[in-house]
Amino acid sequence: MNVGFALVLLWSLPITSVLAELPQPQNLTLLTLNTQYVLTWDWDQTTTGNAVNFTVEYIANVKMKMKKEDWSRVCERTTHTRCDFTGSNLSYIGMYVLRVRASADGVNSHWVCIDFCPDKNASLGPPSRVELAPAGNQLNVTISDPVTISDPETSTQGSMKEHVLSLYYRILYWGLSDDPQGLKPKVVDSSNNLVMLPELEAWTWYCVMIQSRYDYYNKTSVYTEPQCMQTEGDTPYGQIFLYFLVSMMVCFLLVLLPSYTFFRFYRVFKNTFYPSIQLPAHIQEYLCDSSPGSDMPRLLTAESEAELCCDKLTICPEVLLLEMHVPFPLTAPPSELEQDSGRHIRQGSRDSGIHSTEGGSAQQGRSGGEPIRTDQEVDSWQTLAQVKMGRDFIMKVQYF
């Protein structure tokens, strides 16, 4: 009976151990760029409900062939599904075996291995920096090598040419005027870090893209972003004239215009506060203080303001002048002596207002056949003279 129980127990032990094993990590992949190496894998969390951790190790192929199981551990009991080999100082031309396993509750899965050679499997990066500089009607292209990181903690950088001696660059360039989309670029291959592009036109924009290449393992990088630069050359006369006009305009705006503005402001200020033409004396006596030696404007008092604003104005009606026309008798015109007498009477009427008719009557009586003026005609002449004198007097009064 005891023997049968022991046999059953021994037969069930292998089945229990198989059921207790963990599945292996799947899809081991290396993410590389120059000398940066990261190992990643897939893990199905539904296979176990417990927390799982992973262990990652590597060894050189040379040691495996020598039967020296001297594995170097990089990540131990990590819960991430990735492990960084960048700081492991792997030789770029060396060949290694990397392995990873899962562990949970003291149970380990089988190791999963992958071969890795950086020189063959690591991706090549583009130039770290590209600079363009015009040199006459040509362009100088300065290329910085792809960088390597030997220690992520200190960020120590180096050049990929230290690991890949046959590294070179492919340069694509095209003119924006002829090929804006860069569909037919020109190609130049060079291992130098300073390249001068040939067959360029003066005063033309060119764009450049560069790629790193390694032909031994047919490795190429992505191209850099296009960079554009205009070439130079002999300056056209039209451009020189344009520069001259622009410089003249700038000189005018920065020098002449402020000077002219200051001069005009000075003239306005001087003419306003210090005029060259002074006011007449009879006007200044009303605007300035009457005290001796004072040029300050005086304030108008209430009385003076009333005098200025309330001057008396007399409106006189228009005088209608009546003119009397005395008809002459239908007789012969007066003689020369009578005309002289009439003028004498009118002249005397303007001066003294006294009319004399004696001389006129005697002269008319002595004229022979000429008629003698009556007293009524003399009175009419006197009345007309008085009206004219009154009109002259009113006009003089209105003028003053």
Side-chain angles (χ1 to χ4, degrees):
M1 184 68 179
N2 295 333
V3 176
F5 179 77
L7 292 174
V8 172
L9 181 60
L10 292 175
W11 178 76
S12 60
L13 283 176
I15 299 176
T16 305
S17 62
V18 171
L19 293 176
E21 288 183 357
L22 290 175
Q24 300 175 350
Q26 303 294 325
N27 300 327
L28 270 66
T29 306
L30 278 164
L31 303 178
T32 60
L33 181 64
N34 296 333
T35 58
Q36 301 178 41
Y37 322 120
V38 178
L39 177 65
T40 63
W41 58 89
D42 297 334
W43 176 256
D44 189 2
Q45 295 289 345
T46 61
T47 57
T48 176
N50 299 329
V52 180
N53 55 75
F54 304 94
T55 302
V56 183
E57 299 175 344
Y58 75 94
I59 190 174
N61 281 351
V62 177
K63 293 183 179 180
M64 291 189 65
K65 293 178 180 180
M66 296 175 61
K67 304 296 183 179
K68 294 182 179 180
E69 296 292 332
D70 187 12
W71 291 84
S72 299
R73 184 162 295 181
V74 180
C75 298
E76 184 176 6
R77 304 182 65 83
T78 179
T79 57
H80 302 289
T81 58
R82 62 193 306 273
C83 184
D84 191 357
F85 282 79
T86 302
S88 300
N89 294 325
L90 300 182
S91 175
Y92 193 78
I93 59 175
M95 302 183 65
Y96 301 91
V97 176
L98 283 60
R99 66 180 186 179
V100 57
R101 72 177 181 184
S103 301
D105 298 332
V107 180
N108 300 324
S109 67
H110 292 293
W111 291 101
V112 182
C113 300
I114 183 175
D115 294 332
F116 176 60
C117 177
D119 190 22
K120 180 180 180 180
N121 304 120
S123 300
L124 187 62
S128 58
R129 187 176 180 182
V130 177
E131 295 180 356
L132 303 180
N137 60 344
Q138 296 179 338
L139 284 179
N140 288 333
V141 183
T142 304
I143 306 172
S144 298
D145 298 329
V147 297
T148 61
I149 299 178
S150 58
D151 189 357
E153 296 181 357
T154 59
S155 300
T156 303
Q157 297 181 353
S159 173
M160 276 300 297
K161 283 189 175 181
E162 298 175 359
H163 305 285
V164 183
L165 300 180
S166 58
L167 179 69
Y168 70 96
Y169 305 103
R170 173 158 293 180
I171 304 172
L172 304 182
Y173 66 96
W174 64 95
L176 289 180
S177 58
D178 300 333
D179 188 12
Q181 302 297 329
L183 301 178
K184 297 180 180 180
K186 297 180 181 180
V187 180
V188 173
D189 292 336
S190 176
S191 60
N192 300 323
N193 294 98
L194 180 60
V195 181
M196 179 176 291
L197 300 181
E199 301 179 3
L200 302 183
E201 298 179 359
W203 304 108
T204 305
W205 283 89
Y206 288 92
C207 293
V208 177
M209 294 193 310
I210 303 178
Q211 177 192 56
S212 302
R213 300 179 68 89
Y214 177 33
D215 291 340
Y216 187 81
Y217 285 107
N218 197 23
K219 296 167 67 173
T220 59
S221 71
V222 297
Y223 281 96
T224 59
E225 292 293 329
Q227 297 188 28
C228 301
M229 179 66 66
Q230 186 182 26
T231 58
E232 297 178 351
D234 296 335
T235 305
Y237 293 105
Q239 191 172 2
I240 296 176
F241 181 71
L242 180 61
Y243 290 160
F244 175 75
L245 291 181
V246 172
S247 61
M248 291 295 294
M249 292 179 62
V250 172
C251 179
F252 175 77
L253 293 177
L254 297 181
V255 179
L256 299 181
L257 186 59
S259 302
Y260 177 75
T261 304
F262 175 77
F263 175 74
R264 294 295 300 175
F265 176 78
Y266 172 76
R267 290 289 301 274
V268 172
F269 180 83
K270 181 179 179 181
N271 294 335
T272 302
F273 296 97
Y274 302 97
S276 58
I277 301 176
Q278 301 295 331
L279 293 175
H282 67 278
I283 297 179
Q284 290 184 358
E285 65 182 0
Y286 289 100
L287 298 180
C288 299
D289 192 1
S290 60
S291 59
S294 177
D295 294 334
M296 298 298 294
R298 66 176 181 180
L299 298 177
L300 296 177
T301 61
E303 293 78 5
S304 60
E305 183 176 0
E307 292 177 359
L308 293 177
C309 299
C310 301
D311 289 341
K312 293 182 179 181
L313 179 63
T314 303
I315 301 176
C316 297
E318 183 179 359
V319 178
L320 298 178
L321 301 178
L322 300 178
E323 297 183 1
M324 299 178 64
H325 300 275
V326 179
F328 294 97
L330 300 177
T331 60
S335 62
E336 182 180 357
L337 180 61
E338 182 178 353
Q339 291 178 0
D340 294 337
S341 177
R343 286 195 296 268
H344 176 73
I345 293 173
R346 287 194 297 271
Q347 181 67 30
S349 65
R350 292 193 187 97
D351 297 335
S352 61
I354 300 175
H355 304 276
S356 176
T357 60
E358 295 178 356
S361 299
Q363 291 175 0
Q364 288 177 1
R366 291 191 299 267
S367 61
E370 294 180 358
I372 299 175
R373 297 180 185 274
T374 62
D375 294 338
Q376 185 180 1
E377 293 177 352
V378 174
D379 293 339
S380 299
W381 283 107
Q382 292 179 356
T383 303
L384 181 60
Q386 292 177 359
V387 171
K388 289 183 178 181
M389 290 178 61
R391 184 180 60 181
D392 294 339
F393 178 77
I394 292 174
M395 292 179 64
K396 291 180 180 181
V397 171
Q398 290 180 349
Y399 176 76
F400 288 105

